[in-house]
Structures are given as structure tokens and as C-alpha cells.
Amino acid sequence: MKLEWEGIKSIKDSLLIGIYANPLHINKSSKGFKLHSAEPILEYRDFNSNESRYWRFDCIEDNQGDDIITPIVQKTPQPLQYELAEASHQNHIIMGSSFSVQNNWIKQVSGYGFKKNNKEFLSAIVLELDELYIIANAGEVVEINVTDKDPELIDDLIVTTAD
């Protein structure tokens, strides 16, 4: 496993606390929910330390028009506005729109994408929870699908925490 994918794998067995953005557009569809934002922030909490960490989804389009998504691991929800929280169950108070789910244990993480010039790039990241899938798709605006349906992705599996 490449060292660059260790940050993606480290979210496994954490709790998904929420998805934040300013603005975060949420639409109900027949398959679940679709969230859209230019730069969403995903908060997750480690079981052992109870400390929150964040993924900022960074997306670019390469010269050939392929969309690439990279989760950037951070200790704060920047660039969103936030304040430090004094509650033991919460690290930050985030100013912005939010979305959360129940049964939020992250059982598995997978990254799908493509290979180009002997390098691997991600176009989608899938979090498998107890009863749901959270699928973040690269694009000028990141689309996050929340569904109970097994995702059908066309790109190759690049990284996974599956045994």
C-alpha cells in the first residue's frame, strides 16, 4: 500500500460526525440524499482518543479533463469559520451548513479512480457505514451521495481497507 493512501485508510473504525460546508446544498432523491458543495469538510472522531479530525475534499481537473479528489487530513475545519468548543464531546463549533447520519461507524473506506503516467488518482471515495454508503465524487462541485444502495462505480479500485 502506498504511503499516500494511509490518510485515507486511517478513517476506518472512526465515527462520522458530520459533513459541513458554506454553502452545503442538500437534495432528497429516490436513492437517498445528494449533497453539493465546492469545498465540503467531513468530521470524524477516533474511538480511542475521542478527538475530531477533518477531511477537506480538494478537487482539481487535470489537463485531460479528468476530475481528481484528494481528502486533506486536518486538525481543524478550516477554511470554515469555527470556534473552539468547551464541551468534552465536541472539539469545534462550526459555522456553516451541516449534514449528519445515525449509525455512523465507518466500517470500510475505498477509493476509486484511474492510473495515468504510472500514478494513481482518485475520482471517488466511498465510506461504508452500518446501513449507508457515503460516496464523494470529484468535480468542480463535489457531489456526495448518501444512500443505502451498494454503489456502482465505473473507475478502478485504487485503495481499500477491506480484508
Side-chain angles (χ1 to χ4, degrees):
M1 180 55 55
K2 291 185 172 188
L3 185 60
E4 65 189 281
W5 304 129
E6 290 304 312
I8 293 172
K9 292 175 66 177
S10 69
I11 195 173
K12 181 182 183 228
D13 292 327
S14 297
L15 295 175
L16 174 66
I17 303 304
I19 300 168
Y20 307 91
N22 194 13
L24 179 64
H25 300 281
I26 303 170
N27 299 300
K28 175 98 171 90
S29 73
S30 61
K31 296 180 183 177
F33 291 93
K34 288 185 183 259
L35 289 64
H36 295 93
S37 177
E39 195 171 40
I41 304 287
L42 184 143
E43 179 183 7
Y44 59 98
R45 183 168 296 138
D46 182 85
F47 272 126
N48 299 320
S49 70
N50 204 30
E51 185 176 350
S52 285
R53 293 273 186 244
Y54 301 89
W55 270 3
R56 178 176 46 85
F57 289 113
D58 185 32
C59 290
I60 62 167
E61 183 178 308
D62 68 10
N63 294 338
Q64 289 78 36
D66 293 316
D67 291 319
I68 299 168
I69 189 168
T70 304
I72 309 296
V73 179
Q74 324 182 142
K75 292 185 179 184
T76 67
Q78 291 178 328
L80 297 176
Q81 288 185 318
Y82 68 92
E83 294 179 6
L84 294 177
E86 295 184 20
S88 62
H89 65 281
Q90 185 177 7
N91 294 81
H92 301 100
I93 298 169
I94 301 170
M95 283 47 134
S97 299
S98 66
F99 182 87
S100 61
V101 297
Q102 295 180 339
N103 300 321
N104 57 349
W105 173 52
I106 301 170
K107 296 173 23 177
Q108 184 173 316
V109 183
S110 300
Y112 294 83
F114 54 92
K115 295 179 183 180
K116 188 184 290 187
N117 300 327
N118 294 323
K119 290 186 179 184
E120 298 173 322
F121 301 95
L122 298 181
S123 58
I125 297 172
V126 177
L127 305 178
E128 182 181 339
L129 308 181
D130 278 331
E131 299 172 0
L132 294 172
Y133 295 92
I134 309 285
I135 304 120
N137 293 294
E140 185 174 330
V141 173
V142 178
E143 179 182 85
I144 300 174
N145 294 303
V146 180
T147 181
D148 60 356
K149 309 283 189 248
D150 201 7
E152 296 178 19
L153 300 165
I154 58 173
D155 287 335
D156 296 331
L157 179 65
I158 301 293
V159 59
T160 186
T161 58
D163 297 330

